[in-house]
Amino acid sequence: MNSWDTAVEILTWAVKAGVGEFVVCGGARNAVLLEVLSRMEAAGKVKVWSHFEERSAGFFALGRTMTTGKPCAVVVTSGTAVAELLPAAVEAFYQARPLVLITADRPELFRGSGAPQAVEQNGIFTEYACADFAKWDGLMPLHLNVALEEEFEPGGDDFSEMETGEFSPPSDRPVVGTVARWIRERSLKGLVVMIGDLEAEDQEEVFHFCETLAAPVVAEGTSGLREALQHLALVESDIVLKENPPSKILRLGGVPSGRFWRDLEDLPKVEVWSICRNGLRGLGREAGVLKGSLARIIPAMGDFEEIGDRAELLDGVEGRAVRMEEKLESFPDSEAGWMRTLSVYASIGSSVYLGNSLPVREWNAYAQWERPVQTVRANRGANGIDGQISSWLGASADEENAWGIFGDLTALYDLAGLKMLSQVKCSGRVMAVINNRGGKIFDKLPRLGSMSEAAKKWMAAETPVDFSAIAKAWGMDHMKVTRADEFDGAGASDRAVLLEVVPS
Ligand SMILES: Cc1ncc(C[n+]2csc(CCOP(=O)(O)OP(=O)(O)O)c2C)c(N)n1
């Protein structure tokens, strides 16, 4: 088959399978794919986003899947361009997202030849992507390797009648009842519910489930239920749970970011069960897990009764909460104080994206409680600091007043991602960068104290840059702030704002 026909076949198939959006990066080898896509877009059948940096493009596509729930494809040329997609594939794997990787390749006879741009693509994503469409369940990346000749002759295809398909998410396996049975067969005394990232469609079921059980809850910001479940929430949960380990933990959704989840490795007596999309237990130690969508599993578990033994764990919550508020008021310019201030403004926006490292943890601990914030996104699959701006822009592309909060190194990591500002909504968009001079999360490591000054410096990797120049380079407004009492919002502009926060 000539390259044009191959490209038409593969892209027609992808569209039929429900891929409606493509993020493309140019190259000679995949030029034919781009030409076919341009005609499909002209026929109104697909949406195409244009990028140049494949690593960022992969994360942007991942961001699209987070919001649409549908597959998004990233289309790249052969050679190292393919390898640039690995980080996004890893993240998509752990988030169980339908990221489709369409990579151009040289014809088969080039395999193992060392010819220019003929890297070995077979299995390049290892278990992080499925290479066989017939076996793809939509809950992980799919890799389509397309062997193409560089030269192509465009055909006269008319795509106006092309059939587009709806992606149907995989139907859940029947709930065999493991978790339901576990809950039913045991006294739930001493149960604590930990809630990580939730899909929007899961939030209501999880909320009612928690309300009914009335067990103590640790709800991450990314659950979208942190504020709504505040009446059941443990304050300073990492400390409280460590001092008073519960006998059972039920985790719903993504892996929690808090310290206590890691502490569970050393608490074998605490029974742990998870219900989550990727079916991974999220701990090295033994723990039960049920894979599937919470929106379907929870109703299938039947009715539950209130546990009603919240008292000991929730004892002292109020005192802790009051002391926390006093601290935040006394230190408004600290990083914690700034997170509170930013959260007040961000909660009025349409969505919040939290960079890995301190922002996601500080939001959980210090963000405001008054206004429920349902759309809080993060890449908690593999917790990378890479691709964060791209995932944010992809996920919030259609949203006005979208907020993203990132560490300074995290922001520097993905500057190429800002390319997409010209293709997404920018009105009221705020990219807050907490410029605390490098990786400050490591200050919290107990073992840092015993490390040499040189090693500590390498850990922090302080990288002074002029963020105003970065903002200018990408057509953003720049605002630098140090004092919370002088801040009254990032302004309402049609241009995105880079809000540089320098905490004391
Ligand atoms: C791709 C990747 N490389 C390295 C790490 C390890 N890491 C975790 S946090 C961090 C520092 C992040 O610094 P910054 O973005 O400034 O945030 P802060 O720690 O100050 O909140 C690093 C290097 C990682 N998570 N992902």
Side-chain angles (χ1 to χ4, degrees):
M1 210 188 293
N2 69 39
S3 287
W4 179 263
D5 292 340
T6 306
V8 170
E9 185 180 270
I10 194 97
L11 292 170
T12 307
W13 171 83
V15 172
K16 263 199 201 138
V19 182
E21 299 188 29
F22 294 80
V23 186
V24 302
C25 295
R29 184 69 39 189
N30 68 344
V32 60
L33 291 164
L34 272 50
E35 180 57 27
V36 173
L37 278 172
S38 77
R39 296 180 189 208
M40 288 180 168
E41 188 179 52
K45 300 295 179 181
V46 298
K47 159 91 188 152
V48 179
W49 304 89
S50 159
H51 216 311
F52 68 95
E53 210 274 18
E54 288 85 2
R55 182 175 67 185
S56 296
F59 278 105
F60 185 88
L62 169 66
R64 297 302 302 142
T65 67
M66 287 162 90
T67 295
T68 65
K70 296 180 180 158
C72 179
V74 53
V75 181
V76 306
T77 194
S78 60
T80 54
V82 179
E84 303 293 348
L85 299 179
L86 182 61
V90 170
E91 180 60 30
F93 175 86
Y94 287 110
Q95 285 188 32
R97 306 259 176 226
L99 175 66
V100 180
L101 315 162
I102 302 182
T103 65
D105 199 357
R106 302 194 71 172
E108 213 160 309
L109 70 106
F110 286 87
R111 301 231 162 108
S113 68
Q117 280 209 305
V119 306
E120 302 314 313
Q121 291 198 28
N122 278 346
I124 193 167
F125 299 112
T126 65
E127 60 263 60
Y128 294 114
C130 171
D132 179 354
F133 173 68
K135 294 196 183 132
W136 187 51
D137 67 359
L139 286 175
M140 68 183 296
L142 170 69
H143 179 202
L144 300 174
N145 161 269
V146 198
L148 294 163
E149 297 290 353
E150 206 168 294
E151 296 307 320
F152 66 90
E153 202 50 52
D157 306 65
D158 171 11
F159 295 107
S160 58
E161 300 298 319
M162 182 174 69
E163 219 183 293
T164 57
E166 267 302 309
F167 171 69
S168 36
S171 59
D172 275 333
R173 297 131 219 256
V175 180
V176 265
T178 352
V179 170
R181 213 177 322 119
W182 176 76
I183 294 187
R184 217 168 283 290
E185 284 174 2
R186 279 165 179 76
S187 146
L188 290 184
K189 273 202 169 313
L191 178 83
V192 167
V193 183
M194 297 185 82
I195 316 174
D197 313 6
L198 291 182
E199 301 299 291
E201 72 259 22
D202 295 340
Q203 289 176 350
E204 203 175 317
E205 286 297 343
V206 172
F207 175 76
H208 290 301
F209 177 74
C210 292
E211 284 270 281
T212 310
L213 284 185
V217 161
V218 180
E220 305 259 317
T222 50
S223 69
L225 297 178
R226 174 180 172 273
E227 299 79 26
L229 288 173
Q230 191 198 359
H231 54 294
L232 296 170
L234 294 172
V235 175
E236 295 184 309
S237 57
D238 286 341
I239 302 170
V240 173
L241 291 173
K242 189 158 189 193
E243 284 169 5
N244 283 294
S247 48
K248 293 141 202 155
I249 291 280
L250 176 62
R251 165 199 142 206
L252 304 176
V255 172
S257 63
R259 180 71 233 171
F260 185 69
W261 184 259
R262 292 171 194 230
D263 290 340
L264 283 169
E265 298 287 4
D266 303 320
L267 295 169
K269 285 203 187 123
V270 182
E271 265 189 81
V272 181
W273 281 85
S274 296
I275 312 178
C276 55
R277 281 159 50 82
N278 67 8
L280 298 172
R281 63 186 190 278
L283 286 172
R285 53 159 275 186
E286 197 183 311
V289 66
L290 184 58
K291 174 177 177 166
S293 125
L294 287 150
R296 292 192 213 179
I297 292 176
I298 290 180
M301 297 203 302
D303 296 331
F304 290 94
E305 291 185 359
E306 180 170 334
I307 301 172
D309 69 334
R310 314 161 30 195
E312 7 106 36
L313 267 184
L314 290 174
D315 250 3
V317 155
E318 249 166 62
R320 279 178 184 278
V322 168
R323 283 196 296 280
M324 172 72 75
E325 291 303 311
E326 285 169 357
K327 261 196 250 173
L328 290 172
E329 270 170 38
S330 307
F331 301 102
D333 303 332
S334 65
E335 219 170 298
W338 263 111
M339 187 52 87
R340 166 57 62 89
T341 299
L342 294 179
S343 74
V344 170
Y345 288 93
S347 64
I348 308 169
S350 53
S351 65
V352 183
Y353 184 99
L354 299 170
N356 279 321
S357 203
L358 290 176
V360 78
R361 293 173 174 81
E362 290 176 341
W363 181 280
N364 288 336
Y366 310 124
Q368 60 84 37
W369 291 96
E370 274 77 45
R371 208 167 317 149
V373 190
Q374 265 177 281
T375 309
V376 183
R377 305 178 178 111
N379 271 352
R380 295 304 297 167
N383 313 341
I385 62 165
D386 45 354
Q388 301 287 280
I389 293 174
S390 299
S391 301
W392 170 52
L393 293 180
S396 62
D398 303 324
E399 297 166 2
E400 292 184 353
N401 307 311
W403 275 70
I405 306 179
F406 308 93
D408 50 318
L409 294 186
T410 302
L412 293 177
Y413 210 121
D414 193 23
L415 289 182
L418 292 170
K419 148 88 176 168
M420 300 312 277
L421 280 175
S422 60
Q423 294 166 61
V424 303
K425 283 210 170 123
C426 282
S427 161
R429 183 177 287 280
V430 181
M431 171 172 148
V433 176
I434 312 291
N435 192 357
N436 56 15
R437 303 184 318 184
K440 280 292 179 290
I441 193 169
F442 301 128
D443 287 3
K444 310 219 178 273
L445 283 181
R447 61 183 171 280
L448 198 83
S450 61
M451 288 172 68
S452 67
E453 285 310 309
K456 280 187 212 166
K457 262 186 149 176
W458 298 334
M459 297 281 286
E462 183 176 345
T463 307
V465 295
D466 179 355
F467 276 101
S468 71
I470 289 171
K472 188 162 177 236
W474 289 103
M476 306 170 82
D477 292 332
H478 175 252
M479 189 187 254
K480 187 168 180 170
V481 288
T482 51
R483 296 202 34 184
D485 61 356
E486 287 170 3
F487 180 68
D488 66 352
S493 156
D494 279 344
R495 278 155 53 106
V497 177
L498 193 163
L499 173 65
E500 182 181 356
V501 178
V502 184
S504 67

